[in-house]
């Protein structure tokens, strides 16, 4: 099923399993320029030939006792590895967070400071991309149900955007219609420009405010997305939802049940 455009939405609920939304879905901006789309099975259809991937793996995992959450296995494989496998054809693949036993082509870096949050981690990951990189998949490392198919749908949808009103990025929404910005694809130049604007605002003189790359520490994805035009996709295909993020041990068990 191809992506089918619908009318603009303010995070209209999507049919789903009733699972509570993950933290990354708490954007809540509801800007009128956002557009919602339903997505199903798809592929590149020849429109996208190259993209990079940045996987964010540096979260504190407080609800899992501070463990290395991306290394937690689902059916015997670390969630981090499952996400990297879904973007096996990306070049480069960048992991932002603790390393470990990874494929040889995966580049590893850390945000400044370590644990500085998803916006700082996004900036660190983009710093390893070449100047000619046009599109990046920006993904959380706790998405064990993410598939190559879902990434293809996101890339196709972004490639279909054209003209002055074209979206800067495409991300999935969960079963309650809330954005999952760390399950999306983005135009690298506009994402870099948005990061620069956020950093510039946070570098304005203020007592105790950090400067340089550390200025992005603690910045929220909501603040970053406020700089971008975002197309939202509601996943409508059969099977486990690729946006499902594992924040707790019960989430991990549910992911395993889904894929038995």
């Amino acid at each position: 099923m191809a992506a089918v455009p619908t009318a603009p939405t303010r995070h209209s609920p999507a049919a789903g399993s009733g699972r509570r939304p993950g933290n990354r879905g708490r954007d809540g901006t509801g800007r009128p320029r956002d557009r919602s789309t339903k997505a199903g099975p798809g592929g590149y259809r020849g429109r996208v030939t190259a993209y990079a991937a940045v996987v964010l793996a540096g979260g504190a995992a407080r609800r899992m006792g501070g463990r290395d959450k991306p290394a937690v296995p689902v059916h015997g494989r670390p969630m981090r590895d499952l996400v990297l496998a879904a973007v096996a054809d990306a070049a480069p693949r960048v992991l932002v967070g603790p390393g470990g036993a990874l494929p040889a082509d995966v580049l590893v870096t850390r945000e400044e400071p370590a644990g500085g949050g998803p916006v700082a981690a996004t900036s660190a990951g983009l710093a390893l991309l070449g100047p000619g990189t046009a599109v990046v998949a920006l993904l959380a490392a706790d998405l064990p149900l993410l598939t190559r198919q879902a990434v293809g749908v996101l890339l196709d949808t972004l490639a279909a955007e054209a003209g002055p009103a074209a979206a800067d990025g495409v991300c999935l929404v969960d079963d309650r219609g809330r954005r999952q910005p760390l399950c999306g694809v983005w135009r690298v130049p506009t994402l870099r420009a948005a990061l620069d604007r956020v950093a510039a605002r946070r570098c304005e003189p203020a007592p105790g405010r950090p400067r340089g790359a550390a200025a992005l520490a603690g910045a929220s994805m909501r603040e970053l997305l406020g700089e971008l035009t975002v197309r939202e996709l509601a996943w409508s295909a059969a099977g486990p939802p690729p946006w499902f993020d594992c924040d707790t041990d019960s989430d991990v068990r549910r992911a395993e049940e889904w894929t038995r």
Side-chain angles (χ1 to χ4, degrees), residues 15-252:
S17 63
R19 188 251 185 190
R20 53 124 184 104
N23 287 345
R24 282 179 297 279
R26 301 182 188 280
D27 176 87
T29 58
R31 292 177 290 114
R33 62 177 178 164
D34 299 341
R35 289 156 291 179
S36 179
T37 303
K38 289 185 178 180
Y44 280 127
R45 298 194 293 275
R47 293 187 304 195
V48 176
T49 58
Y51 73 106
V54 172
V55 178
L56 308 189
R62 293 182 181 87
R63 283 184 280 175
M64 297 184 76
R67 283 182 291 165
D68 182 7
K69 181 171 66 168
V72 172
V74 171
H75 287 309
R77 295 188 67 187
M79 291 191 282
R80 171 193 61 214
D81 293 8
L82 294 169
V83 175
L84 287 168
V87 289
D89 59 341
R93 292 186 292 173
V94 179
L95 181 79
V96 186
L102 298 170
D105 67 299
V106 175
L107 306 177
V108 179
T109 188
R110 287 306 303 262
E111 67 274 25
E112 184 184 338
V119 176
T122 297
S123 179
L126 263 58
L128 296 188
L129 305 187
T133 305
V135 175
V136 63
L138 185 62
L139 305 165
D142 61 351
L143 299 170
L145 306 181
L146 184 69
T147 62
R148 177 68 190 79
Q149 176 192 68
V151 175
V153 169
L154 288 164
L155 290 166
D156 280 350
T157 304
L158 183 63
E161 292 278 319
D168 300 317
V170 180
C171 68
L172 294 181
V173 295
D174 67 13
D175 54 340
R176 299 186 182 182
R178 300 192 182 191
R179 283 183 188 164
Q180 302 297 310
L182 298 185
C183 190
V185 297
W186 308 87
R187 302 187 197 279
V188 174
T190 52
L191 184 56
R192 280 182 167 142
L195 286 164
D196 288 345
R197 289 192 294 272
V198 172
R201 282 198 305 272
R202 294 172 68 87
C203 279
E204 293 174 357
R209 179 173 290 172
R211 295 180 177 273
L216 291 173
S220 68
M221 289 303 294
R222 177 175 181 175
E223 184 177 0
L224 180 61
L225 293 186
E227 299 287 336
L228 299 166
T229 301
V230 182
R231 179 177 286 279
E232 301 171 348
L233 288 181
W235 189 254
S236 61
W243 47 259
F244 185 86
D245 58 333
C246 292
D247 292 328
T248 66
D249 289 326
S250 63
D251 291 340
V252 173

